[in-house]
Amino acid sequence: MLGKWDLSTPPQGAEHVTIAVSGADGGHTVDFRELAAGGITLVGRTTAYSDGRMRFAPDVARNVAAGDDNLFALLDEADAYVARNGLDLPEEPEARLVGADPASLTDPILELDLQAAGITTIVWATGFRTDYSWLQVDAFDENGRPVHQRGVSTEPGVYFLGLPWQSRRGSSFIWGVWHDAGHIADQIQIQRGYLAYDQQAALAAEGAVV
């Protein structure tokens, strides 16, 4: 309703795509402070590892605060939408409640001896990146990113779908990819029409010569 998925360009200074919201179990907030209260130790970005010791940036509190700011900005937009449209919805003041910062935020861990801490396993979730090296066509820039206009490549017959911000924020998600899929299907049909016309023109020219 707020049009977040239909944004055509990233917000100034924020090129991220994901909006971390969920309606699972009726919807609930995943709060880092609650995770810490449940026994999870929060740390900042990993910066180095050597001799059995992990080192972390002192940015965990800043990262959590930035998440709070994003959440409250979204709630502000939702409240404004409700007021502007005169919707009769129940208030939810607890959505803005923020608990006390745990020790892992106020006194962050900057270095950790894995053996001394009893840590024997690390599951490192680093995400993924695209790799088009298998596609041997001239359709990429110097950084290996597709050169395209809303998915239509500079290489004839090559199209892209599901790229971040291909036409809108939702382009790389199942919910929003259909916008671009319809556009690509139309473009393929148009190109087929051009090819059919060229073939007919070639046959007509050949017949005229004969």
Side-chain angles (χ1 to χ4, degrees), residues 20 105 109:
L105 293 186
I109 296 174

Side-chain angles (χ1 to χ4, degrees), residues 130-132 134-135 137-141 144-155 157-164 166-167 171 177 180-181 183-185 188:
T130 55
D131 179 9
Y132 296 104
W134 58 274
L135 190 55
V137 294
D138 185 21
F140 306 96
D141 63 18
R145 293 175 299 195
V147 177
H148 69 97
Q149 181 65 36
R150 197 177 171 184
V152 180
S153 169
T154 54
E155 184 77 10
V158 177
Y159 302 87
F160 295 95
L161 196 59
L163 299 177
Q166 182 161 322
S167 70
S171 289
V177 73
D180 300 313
H183 176 74
I184 292 296
I188 292 174

Side-chain angles (χ1 to χ4, degrees), residues 1 78 81-90:
M1 299 302 294
Y81 180 89
V82 169
R84 186 168 60 251
N85 291 275
L87 302 180
D88 184 18
L89 296 177

Side-chain angles (χ1 to χ4, degrees), residues 41-44 56-62 102-111:
T41 300
L42 306 176
V43 295
F56 308 99
D59 58 0
V60 59
R62 184 170 67 250
S104 54
L105 293 186
T106 59
D107 186 21
I109 296 174
L110 302 181
E111 186 172 307

Side-chain angles (χ1 to χ4, degrees), residues 15-210:
E15 295 187 2
H16 67 283
V17 175
T18 302
I19 300 176
V21 296
S22 172
D25 300 322
H28 65 277
T29 298
V30 178
D31 191 319
F32 283 104
R33 296 173 183 84
E34 291 183 3
L35 295 177
I40 293 178
T41 300
L42 306 176
V43 295
R45 178 177 52 86
T46 301
T47 59
Y49 169 82
S50 63
D51 300 324
R53 305 183 73 86
M54 298 285 292
R55 294 177 177 80
F56 308 99
D59 58 0
V60 59
R62 184 170 67 250
N63 293 337
V64 172
D68 293 339
D69 292 341
N70 286 334
L71 170 62
F72 295 147
L74 182 63
L75 293 178
D76 288 342
E77 289 187 52
D79 287 344
Y81 180 89
V82 169
R84 186 168 60 251
N85 291 275
L87 302 180
D88 184 18
L89 296 177
E91 294 187 3
E92 191 181 1
E94 61 272 17
R96 295 178 181 270
L97 293 179
V98 175
D101 285 345
S104 54
L105 293 186
T106 59
D107 186 21
I109 296 174
L110 302 181
E111 186 172 307
L112 184 66
D113 185 318
L114 299 183
Q115 184 174 6
I119 296 176
T120 58
T121 302
I122 295 177
V123 179
W124 204 301
T126 59
F128 64 92
R129 64 179 181 178
T130 55
D131 179 9
Y132 296 104
S133 61
W134 58 274
L135 190 55
Q136 300 299 310
V137 294
D138 185 21
F140 306 96
D141 63 18
E142 62 277 8
N143 296 314
R145 293 175 299 195
V147 177
H148 69 97
Q149 181 65 36
R150 197 177 171 184
V152 180
S153 169
T154 54
E155 184 77 10
V158 177
Y159 302 87
F160 295 95
L161 196 59
L163 299 177
W165 294 103
Q166 182 161 322
S167 70
R168 65 197 69 216
R169 187 181 212 148
S171 289
S172 57
F173 295 87
I174 293 176
W175 183 90
V177 73
W178 62 274
H179 292 283
D180 300 313
H183 176 74
I184 292 296
D186 289 341
Q187 293 301 310
I188 292 174
Q189 187 63 33
I190 290 172
Q191 292 301 320
R192 286 183 173 179
Y194 289 155
L195 290 175
Y197 176 81
D198 290 343
Q199 291 171 354
Q200 292 173 359
L203 290 175
E206 184 177 321
V209 171
V210 173

